[in-house]
Amino acid sequence: MTKVIKDFEELKRVLKSKLPEFLDRMNVKKGKGKANMYHSFYSDRADKNPSLHIFASFNNESMYHCFSSNRTGDIFMAHNIISGAPLIGSEFMIQNVKVLCDMFDVKYEFKPMSPEDIEEMNIRAIYSMIKDIVVTDFRFAPDNVDEKVKEYCAERQINPKEDGADFSLGYCANYENLMAELGQRGIDRKYLEKIGVKEYIFNPNNLIFSILDDRGVVRGFAVRNCHFDKNNRIGSKYYNTESNAVYSKGSILYNLQRALKKQSGKHSGVYITEGHTDAIALDKVGLKAAALGSTKFTNEHISLLQRVSTTDIILLLDGDAAGIDNTARTITEVMEGIRNFRVRIVTLPEGEDPDSFVRKFGKEKLLMLPHITAFEWRLYKLRDETDLDPHELAKQIIPLIVNESSALQRDRMCKQIAEVCDLPLMTVRKEVQNIMENEIVQQNDERDAILDNMQKLLKRSPTDAPIIVKNAHVSLNTLADRVGKNIYDLDEFVNEIGVIKSHQEGASRDDYLNIFRMPRFETKMKGSTSGKLFLIGGQPNTGKTLWLINYIVGLLRSHEDAAWYGQRADDDRFNNVSILYHTIDDSREESIPRFISALAYDKSMEVTINSMDAPNVEDNIAHVTNLDELLSARDWAYQKFEQWAKDGRLIIKDSKMGATLSSGDMAIRNIKRRFPDRHILYIIDNLHNLQDFSNIDDDVKRIKDISLALKQNILVAHGITGFCTVEYKKGQGDSKSRITLNELMKESKSLEYHANWVGHLVSEMHVDPDNTEMFFYDPAVPPELQGPDDKCPIVSLIVGKNKVSGYKGELHYYILPKQGVAREVTRTDVLNMSEGARNKLWRYYFRKNEDTSKLLEEHRASMPGDANADDSFAA
């Protein structure tokens, strides 16, 4: 079935990719033996040799450049030149876009357009044409460029041909020629002037910066007047397009679209600069950078960065007085009260801007400058510029700590105040706690008032219950947003990852992607999962949490592997999944290193949970032979993990943010509002420690009510999947009976009844380590050094109940407790195992009619060395 495109920008990208096919259909003569070369189709430029080159633009859209006429365009322009198809207005949609859609069988949802829609489309189209014209002139007509503009570019090491294309830099040698060319395309001069195409911008004195939005769409232009003389002050140094339907300089950042496309590496934050060339200079040395241009940092900029999930920013403004004042204004006026943003400040030496600093001293010197937090900047500035005594200084700055949502950050701020103000740390912490408690009391009073009012309205008008409850829910969310502590906000988790990573003092490096899956589990459990409850039981330390974390990582990694989509063609819901991991036992700080270790193990077998948690603690890395590889693996894992959080793929909530089903329900509602098309997986670790129905003393009844509420009010109501770990009663022994194991789950009958699937993790090594062959040696330990402490369990996942797929067998996993890694046992692994282990597992991996002795003989013949050795850890 052909996809129907609904987004116009996506449609334009699709059609632009058809340019070579269009020229072929229009019988434009192609160059012989020269790829992507055609003869010019401009009537006034008939050529004997092919002079029209097809190339890929910034967005990988097919464009052409005609060297004989020095003209550039796309498929719409080619259609205009060859067939006279209009380029603006409603006629553009009918006679140009629709004709091309029909020509290439592209389906688009054409809708009636209002006058405002047409106006916006026209401006975008015209700005795009102008960008192509001025960028082409800058790149390919260097003789026409004014000497002052050349000098400006040379001083800033701007290469017209390369940087012109990369950063959409342009030049206009003659305003009248520009207006004439646009007039030939059917665009009225008065209309051009109305939308800001004016001579003070498009004249030979200026270097032109095309301002693109985060999707690469031209929104307007900014120019640097290279003839500006600060002594004579004739004219202005900078000019911008006037505000209109598509452009407002206070709500857009130059070069942001390139920053968003850069890989997150060691320096993942986006540098916010003042000047356009500052952003270009940083971009060219590999940093993410976006420029304000000749404007101030605004709340609209904050909204833009939040929308594109860019919440780690570094303010790198000029080192002069104006730049410092701008920093102060940004922090005090714009960033005040903004949550879930990581903001750092870099102060440049006086007289330097980012462009000049990088050219003089290089990238490494810039990175060595102190990157301080906004809080530190304000603290030090207040200390240095006022005569406040230490106690008064502390009084003014402590309220800023209360606004910080991260406990780690709050504690760091307390230590900084204690140090600067020479106060006991406990005194500062106590003051912060008192303020927070007072705020909590006030917030609780407001919350109770909302709930009391809801109850009164329900008694008065029970028939209006749906709207009354909905209004109360909106009011509660508004309260949470107002106080800046909405724990259901997805961006809050993204920010916390950066805080925890920074707290662990790790460096960051780029690496490549490997795919990890649990294919046997997914194959054996394949079936409808909407509204279903999965339970994983087991004694303590058998790997329940470890297994769950590896399962989550497997799902999220499979989402990124295109080949995996084909294997899951019959069940693609998990390929578009958001996972809410609600950990009741552990904090985020304890959970995240486990995720990172499970991810990073693919890059380094020396990874451990402790080394991921605190890589600078000597005891945690004493075993490491290749520290660079270990740190690279850690930073790669954090990069992937943070991207999942930014994309809303993984959200971790711990008990500090709510240990009840209602807190999980609120988070799920927030995810559904933001990602209505995604499948949601709600994971609870550990179900028994939820605090719901705490007024019920009978644990059996309490767990029954919890499991019923989870199943009916959350999983079935939202149509999502639940995965929970559960505890066993004491006295499991060595039983592997499904019935016995089901009975061993605490308060088991209600859990077993409400669950659609029950699995039990059993470790023989845990029960009787001296009398089992169900173990393997840590593959990171050389064989000659392997001892009893290096034994790791092979655990069985025994399916005790299955109303999802019907499978009632066993699955088996290699467990590396120190690394937090679980790997599925495969058929090849079984052949490599010791005879005792192989005999236990054989029937789960091979069919009855398979000749087991022949399979084993063939496998041993194909294996080098001793095939009987237990070296079967999954590849």
Side-chain angles (χ1 to χ4, degrees):
M1 183 177 178
T2 304
K3 175 186 175 182
V4 178
I5 299 173
K6 297 183 179 181
D7 180 69
F8 185 53
E9 294 302 326
E10 180 185 353
L11 173 67
K12 289 197 291 185
R13 283 193 291 273
V14 170
L15 291 178
K16 286 180 180 182
S17 70
K18 307 290 186 183
L19 176 60
E21 297 174 57
F22 174 75
L23 297 182
D24 292 338
R25 291 198 184 196
M26 295 294 104
N27 297 317
V28 176
K29 189 177 179 182
K30 195 169 186 179
K32 294 181 180 179
K34 294 185 178 181
N36 299 324
M37 291 298 295
Y38 288 81
H39 289 262
S40 176
F41 48 73
Y42 285 87
S43 59
D44 60 336
R45 295 286 177 178
D47 51 9
K48 294 181 180 180
N49 297 313
S51 63
L52 189 138
H53 173 61
I54 306 295
F55 66 95
S57 71
F58 168 76
N59 285 326
N60 292 319
E61 299 166 348
S62 291
M63 303 279 291
Y64 69 80
H65 177 68
C66 178
F67 288 94
S68 63
S69 63
N70 194 34
R71 294 172 181 171
T72 297
D74 54 22
I75 191 172
F76 305 112
M77 180 63 62
H79 197 194
N80 169 262
I81 300 299
I82 295 171
S83 305
L87 292 171
I88 62 171
S90 56
E91 296 85 359
F92 167 69
M93 294 297 293
I94 299 169
Q95 300 175 34
N96 200 329
V97 175
K98 191 173 188 309
V99 170
L100 292 174
C101 285
D102 294 341
M103 183 181 295
F104 297 107
D105 194 27
V106 174
K107 305 299 182 186
Y108 175 66
E109 189 177 306
F110 286 90
K111 296 179 180 177
M113 299 181 70
S114 67
E116 293 76 17
D117 294 334
I118 294 174
E119 172 82 355
E120 185 173 334
M121 181 188 69
N122 286 345
I123 297 175
R124 289 189 188 186
I126 293 169
Y127 284 177
S128 180
M129 293 179 215
I130 294 173
K131 185 209 64 164
D132 292 340
I133 293 170
V134 298
V135 170
T136 298
D137 287 346
F138 185 59
R139 296 182 65 204
F140 299 112
D143 293 340
N144 295 333
V145 177
D146 177 82
E147 288 301 320
K148 289 280 189 181
V149 176
K150 287 181 181 178
E151 290 172 11
Y152 181 83
C153 292
E155 182 185 348
R156 285 153 181 78
Q157 299 176 5
I158 291 174
N159 181 303
K161 192 161 187 179
E162 295 175 3
D163 297 336
D166 290 341
F167 301 102
S168 300
L169 303 176
Y171 182 74
C172 179
N174 189 296
Y175 176 71
E176 291 301 327
N177 289 348
L178 173 65
M179 299 297 275
E181 183 166 348
L182 294 171
Q184 290 172 5
R185 301 180 185 188
I187 306 170
D188 180 69
R189 180 174 182 131
K190 288 185 178 179
Y191 183 70
L192 288 169
E193 292 175 348
K194 175 189 171 185
I195 63 172
V197 186
K198 297 184 177 180
E199 189 170 5
Y200 67 84
I201 290 181
F202 298 99
N203 72 61
N205 293 344
N206 300 335
L207 176 64
I208 302 170
F209 302 90
S210 304
I211 310 298
L212 279 57
D213 64 17
D214 55 282
R215 301 181 68 185
V217 178
V218 188
R219 293 286 187 166
F221 302 92
V223 301
R224 170 59 157 89
N225 176 9
C226 298
H227 283 253
F228 175 78
D229 186 337
K230 61 182 179 182
N231 296 317
N232 296 330
R233 292 194 173 275
I234 298 173
S236 297
K237 185 188 289 189
Y238 297 100
Y239 296 102
N240 295 275
T241 300
E242 298 169 352
S243 296
N244 56 44
V246 302
Y247 180 72
S248 171
K249 72 176 183 178
S251 62
I252 197 164
L253 292 168
Y254 173 73
N255 204 55
L256 180 61
Q257 83 286 356
R258 283 181 58 86
L260 295 177
K261 292 197 173 193
K262 281 188 180 292
Q263 292 275 333
S264 290
K266 183 174 181 179
H267 312 291
S268 58
V270 175
Y271 285 85
I272 305 297
T273 69
E274 289 188 62
H276 304 89
T277 56
D278 296 327
I280 292 173
L282 297 184
D283 186 294
K284 289 169 72 172
V285 296
L287 299 174
K288 297 179 178 180
L292 297 168
S294 54
T295 188
K296 296 178 180 178
F297 198 63
T298 67
N299 288 310
E300 287 74 18
H301 289 133
I302 290 291
S303 299
L304 167 64
L305 292 167
Q306 287 176 323
R307 180 172 58 79
V308 297
S309 299
T310 300
T311 55
D312 183 1
I313 62 174
I314 302 137
L315 294 175
L316 182 60
L317 306 180
D318 295 353
D320 56 17
I324 293 171
D325 288 344
N326 200 7
T327 302
R329 189 201 65 83
T330 297
I331 293 171
T332 55
E333 296 179 14
V334 181
M335 299 306 300
E336 186 73 52
I338 298 294
R339 310 298 176 199
N340 307 325
F341 257 82
R342 184 186 183 201
V343 182
R344 286 161 289 165
I345 317 295
V346 176
T347 302
L348 292 170
E350 187 175 355
E352 297 288 354
D353 56 39
D355 178 19
S356 65
F357 188 90
V358 169
R359 282 188 282 107
K360 288 179 186 177
F361 307 109
K363 169 184 173 181
E364 294 307 319
K365 288 287 186 183
L366 174 66
L367 297 176
M368 289 171 63
L369 292 175
H371 286 52
I372 65 173
T373 65
F375 172 79
E376 291 169 324
W377 194 90
R378 293 183 69 171
L379 173 62
Y380 299 144
K381 187 173 178 63
L382 198 60
R383 178 196 64 183
D384 297 338
E385 297 184 2
T386 65
D387 55 0
L388 296 174
D389 65 64
H391 288 78
E392 188 61 33
L393 175 60
K395 249 187 216 183
Q396 289 199 23
I397 208 76
I398 281 177
L400 299 176
I401 301 179
V402 178
N403 293 332
E404 173 56 52
S405 60
S406 167
L408 285 172
Q409 288 284 54
R410 286 200 302 271
D411 196 58
R412 183 180 299 170
M413 291 172 174
C414 287
K415 292 175 182 176
Q416 289 166 341
I417 287 184
E419 182 179 345
V420 170
C421 299
D422 194 23
L423 293 171
L425 177 58
M426 290 305 298
T427 301
V428 178
R429 284 175 173 164
K430 183 64 176 174
E431 183 65 19
V432 170
Q433 187 64 30
N434 288 339
I435 295 174
M436 292 182 68
E437 288 175 356
N438 290 336
E439 285 196 354
I440 290 172
V441 169
Q442 181 180 345
Q443 292 156 21
N444 287 343
D445 288 343
E446 292 186 52
R447 180 201 61 198
D448 292 343
I450 293 170
L451 295 176
D452 288 345
N453 184 57
M454 180 187 72
Q455 290 179 343
K456 291 176 183 177
L457 293 173
L458 287 173
K459 288 180 181 179
R460 189 184 308 159
S461 305
T463 55
D464 296 330
I467 190 67
I468 292 171
V469 173
K470 182 178 179 181
N471 288 340
H473 180 235
V474 170
S475 298
L476 289 171
N477 270 335
T478 301
L479 171 63
D481 288 333
R482 179 171 59 78
V483 300
K485 296 175 182 175
N486 191 342
I487 63 173
Y488 309 110
D489 182 6
L490 303 187
D491 292 332
E492 180 272 337
F493 176 48
V494 176
N495 185 61
E496 185 75 354
I497 293 173
V499 172
I500 292 172
K501 183 171 185 288
S502 174
H503 179 69
Q504 295 166 345
E505 298 297 329
S508 192
R509 297 179 178 87
D510 288 324
D511 212 332
Y512 299 98
L513 178 68
N514 293 323
I515 302 299
F516 171 73
R517 309 167 195 154
M518 285 188 176
R520 284 183 60 80
F521 178 84
E522 295 190 5
T523 300
K524 299 296 185 184
M525 305 305 147
K526 189 175 290 185
S528 174
T529 59
S530 178
K532 302 293 176 63
L533 174 59
F534 290 70
L535 297 179
I536 294 281
Q539 281 204 330
N541 302 317
T542 52
K544 299 185 296 294
T545 299
L546 184 152
W547 187 94
L548 268 181
I549 287 175
N550 281 265
Y551 178 60
I552 293 169
V553 170
L555 283 176
L556 295 175
R557 296 291 298 279
S558 68
H559 173 75
E560 299 161 0
D561 184 358
W564 189 231
Y565 288 146
Q567 296 179 33
R568 292 293 300 272
D570 61 330
D571 182 9
D572 65 355
R573 290 170 300 168
F574 280 125
N575 294 330
N576 187 27
V577 66
S578 283
I579 299 173
L580 174 62
Y581 182 69
H582 195 172
T583 170
I584 311 301
D585 294 338
D586 300 323
S587 67
R588 276 178 174 173
E589 291 85 349
E590 293 169 314
S591 297
I592 288 179
R594 297 182 181 183
F595 278 91
I596 299 304
S597 186
L599 262 169
Y601 188 79
D602 281 339
K603 298 294 181 183
S604 171
M605 294 178 69
E606 297 187 294
V607 161
T608 63
I609 296 173
N610 286 342
S611 68
M612 296 297 97
D613 184 28
N616 290 334
V617 175
E618 189 172 345
D619 288 347
N620 292 341
I621 56 174
H623 66 287
V624 176
T625 60
N626 190 334
L627 184 58
D628 284 344
E629 180 183 275
L630 180 84
L631 293 177
S632 178
R634 179 180 185 269
D635 297 329
W636 171 85
Y638 258 109
Q639 176 187 332
K640 301 304 300 178
F641 189 74
E642 187 171 5
Q643 190 59 53
W644 289 340
K646 286 181 179 179
D647 294 341
R649 299 286 174 191
L650 175 61
I651 305 97
I652 298 180
K653 303 292 183 187
D654 58 22
S655 59
K656 292 183 293 187
M657 312 178 73
T660 62
L661 289 176
S662 59
S663 63
D665 180 61
M666 294 286 281
I668 290 165
R669 291 176 186 274
N670 199 58
I671 296 170
K672 291 186 74 173
R673 283 196 299 271
R674 188 163 175 179
F675 306 109
D677 297 329
R678 286 192 186 168
H679 185 85
I680 297 174
L681 180 60
Y682 180 32
I683 293 179
I684 303 175
D685 183 30
N686 175 335
L687 180 70
H688 289 89
N689 288 338
L690 285 170
Q691 299 302 306
D692 300 271
F693 307 108
S694 55
N695 59 319
I696 300 176
D697 294 330
D698 184 348
D699 271 353
V700 174
K701 186 176 187 316
R702 190 178 75 85
I703 295 301
K704 179 181 179 181
D705 288 350
I706 287 176
S707 61
L708 178 62
L710 171 63
K711 181 72 179 292
Q712 297 299 329
N713 298 346
I714 295 183
L715 305 184
V716 174
H718 291 299
I720 66 174
T721 304
F723 235 119
C724 305
T725 60
V726 293
E727 296 176 348
Y728 277 165
K729 299 174 183 176
K730 293 182 179 180
Q732 174 191 322
D734 59 354
S735 173
K736 292 184 72 175
S737 160
R738 291 181 181 84
I739 296 175
T740 303
L741 289 170
N742 287 348
E743 289 290 336
L744 285 170
M745 286 191 302
K746 283 187 177 180
E747 297 76 42
S748 59
K749 283 303 176 186
S750 61
L751 290 176
E752 184 184 358
Y753 176 77
H754 293 138
N756 303 93
W757 182 94
V758 178
H760 307 279
L761 282 176
V762 176
S763 170
E764 290 186 14
M765 186 177 149
H766 182 73
V767 175
D768 191 2
D770 297 325
N771 297 292
T772 180
E773 294 184 70
M774 293 291 283
F775 71 88
F776 68 106
Y777 286 101
D778 185 340
V781 180
E784 64 273 13
L785 299 179
Q786 291 172 350
D789 291 341
D790 301 311
K791 286 184 177 182
C792 300
I794 300 174
V795 303
S796 302
L797 178 59
I798 302 171
V799 181
K801 176 181 178 180
N802 190 352
K803 296 295 184 182
V804 176
S805 69
Y807 178 75
K808 288 287 186 69
E810 293 183 17
L811 296 151
H812 306 89
Y813 297 87
Y814 297 99
I815 299 293
L816 288 167
K818 293 179 183 177
Q819 294 84 350
V821 170
R823 291 288 191 270
E824 281 189 333
V825 170
T826 67
R827 281 168 57 105
T828 301
D829 294 330
V830 175
L831 291 171
N832 277 338
M833 287 180 180
S834 64
E835 183 177 0
R838 187 167 60 245
N839 289 338
K840 285 186 176 184
L841 306 188
W842 191 278
R843 64 192 179 98
Y844 298 109
Y845 293 82
F846 299 92
R847 295 184 295 274
K848 291 181 180 179
N849 60 354
E850 288 186 276
D851 188 336
T852 55
S853 59
K854 183 179 179 181
L855 286 171
L856 191 57
E857 183 179 342
E858 290 175 349
H859 178 69
R860 285 174 173 170
S862 68
M863 294 292 290
D866 183 7
N868 290 311
D870 182 14
D871 59 353
S872 57
F873 184 71

